[in-house]
Amino acid sequence: MAINLKGRNFLTLKDFTPEEIEYLVELSAEVKDKKKKGIPVDNYRGKNVALIFEKTSTRTRCSFEVAAHDMGMGVTYLDPQGSQIGKKESIADTARVLGRMFDGIEYRGFEQTIVEELAEYAGVPVWNGLTNEYHPTQMIADLLTIREHLGDFKGLKFVYMGDARYNMGNSLMIACAKMGMHFTACTSKEYFPNEELVAQCQEYAKASGGTIALTEDVESGTKDADILYTDVWVSMGEPDEVWAERIKALSPYQVNKKVMDNASDKAIFMHCLPAFHDLKTKIGKEVYEKFGLSELEVTDEVFESDKSVVFDEAENRMHSIKAIMMATLGVE
Ligand code: CP
Ligand code: NVA
């Protein structure tokens, strides 16, 4: 049956079948190829999208803006300072206003319930540009990147190290489970994803031929991994006070040369970015002054190595966000 995602929201990959996810990855590859060849995909003229960012962003905002411009669409960026959202106007009212003017709405912010409420009231597709719980647009970019470097998803060993109970860990576990990969969260047990989500992903994995594993043991957890993935130890919106406990708990789960050497020969390193791998950031310097660590979730050596595909991932954010907008607005 042909896949048709017109009118659908894009809030979490839980809502999508493996075939629909595959379709979005394929469409991303197609629009990437067209962009490289200079073939325009600009038949969305006359449409407009709103981008709501309650947290900061480089990749996601730029991807939505560049993709929308490429598609011929108008874009309006709203940040918490420059709009009434949340302070003077509820999410439901905002959704009903924006839904009258725009053809689609992106939201980056805090609880998943906020983006769900927007979607309930907007009457147009709503795209989750990151919440505390999920980061689904990143998943399509990551799957495209994996496909480009390693081919078929089925049977690949995917290891996530670090804070596995937040947006990236949750979303990657879902994506791997749906696509038939063997997902391992290799981290301290208080950072394992929540049991309910693990159980749900185990169901997806049963259907796809994948598996889910949780381990605190780095040696066995990362052995023969095809993909090593990590993310920042402290996410946007979390207080500075948590740095001390994160560093203590997650330092053993840094992605370094020893970890990469334990992985498969063809292993790749992935990170959604931004990453703390040197002292060239304000926060990186502050952490160094307070805790004496010059590299956090990944060493500079691994980040800069030829196994690192992080900038392919970053580029693929734009192509995949274009595909997500096209599919949900209706492929023309
Ligand atoms: N990976 C990602 O979402 O990056 P930004 O926070 O820069 O959008
Ligand atoms: N976990 C990170 C992801 C950034 C793309 C955060 O929420 O800040």
Side-chain angles (χ1 to χ4, degrees), residues 55 108 130-131 135 138 166-168 231-232 234-236 272-274 317:
K55 290 177 178 169
R108 164 172 289 200
L130 177 145
T131 56
H135 196 5
Q138 178 79 47
Y166 216 66
N167 42 28
M168 286 304 304
D231 179 22
V232 290
V234 177
S235 287
M236 289 182 277
C272 55
L273 305 183
R317 296 298 309 285

Side-chain angles (χ1 to χ4, degrees), residues 71-281:
M71 291 164 72
M73 300 197 293
V75 182
T76 301
Y77 173 77
L78 296 151
D79 69 17
Q81 279 75 42
S83 70
Q84 317 286 18
I85 299 167
K87 298 186 300 284
K88 282 175 69 182
E89 195 156 30
S90 68
I91 294 298
D93 291 357
T94 304
R96 285 176 288 184
V97 171
L98 297 181
R100 298 287 183 107
M101 299 182 196
F102 293 94
D103 299 283
I105 303 167
E106 179 277 354
Y107 173 84
R108 164 172 289 200
F110 297 89
E111 288 78 26
Q112 183 73 6
T113 49
I114 301 175
V115 77
E116 285 168 359
E117 193 177 351
L118 257 181
E120 188 184 339
Y121 288 95
V124 296
V126 171
W127 307 298
N128 177 0
L130 177 145
T131 56
N132 295 347
E133 292 88 344
Y134 305 111
H135 196 5
T137 63
Q138 178 79 47
M139 294 308 107
I140 305 301
D142 289 347
L143 290 171
L144 176 62
T145 311
I146 292 170
R147 205 177 82 167
E148 287 172 346
H149 288 272
L150 301 174
D152 195 17
F153 304 126
K154 292 238 183 264
L156 292 174
K157 179 171 177 178
F158 186 111
V159 180
Y160 182 86
M161 302 182 85
D163 183 0
R165 24 124 262 180
Y166 216 66
N167 42 28
M168 286 304 304
N170 290 344
S171 289
L172 288 166
M173 181 168 68
I174 298 165
C176 289
K178 292 239 175 191
M179 304 318 284
M181 287 189 260
H182 301 299
F183 177 88
T184 299
C186 180
T187 187
S188 171
K189 65 176 178 307
E190 62 273 34
Y191 292 93
F192 283 170
N194 80 56
E195 281 174 19
E196 199 187 326
L197 187 60
V198 171
Q200 204 172 356
C201 287
Q202 265 156 351
E203 289 303 310
Y204 301 147
K206 226 183 267 171
S208 70
T211 53
I212 305 291
L214 311 176
T215 181
E216 291 195 291
D217 187 70
V218 175
E219 162 72 28
S220 62
T222 62
K223 185 92 197 120
D224 297 330
D226 297 298
I227 299 128
L228 264 311
Y229 203 118
T230 191
D231 179 22
V232 290
W233 290 340
V234 177
S235 287
M236 289 182 277
E238 295 196 288
D240 285 347
E241 292 73 64
V242 301
W243 271 110
E245 71 192 46
R246 293 292 157 79
I247 286 172
K248 188 160 172 267
L250 300 178
S251 287
Y253 302 97
Q254 180 190 60
V255 182
N256 51 35
K257 184 165 185 303
K258 195 166 168 219
V259 165
M260 291 307 294
D261 286 347
N262 192 38
S264 118
D265 290 344
K266 63 176 201 297
I268 55 173
F269 168 70
M270 299 181 74
H271 192 309
C272 55
L273 305 183
F276 293 117
H277 59 97
D278 59 22
L279 294 178
K280 293 177 186 158
T281 64

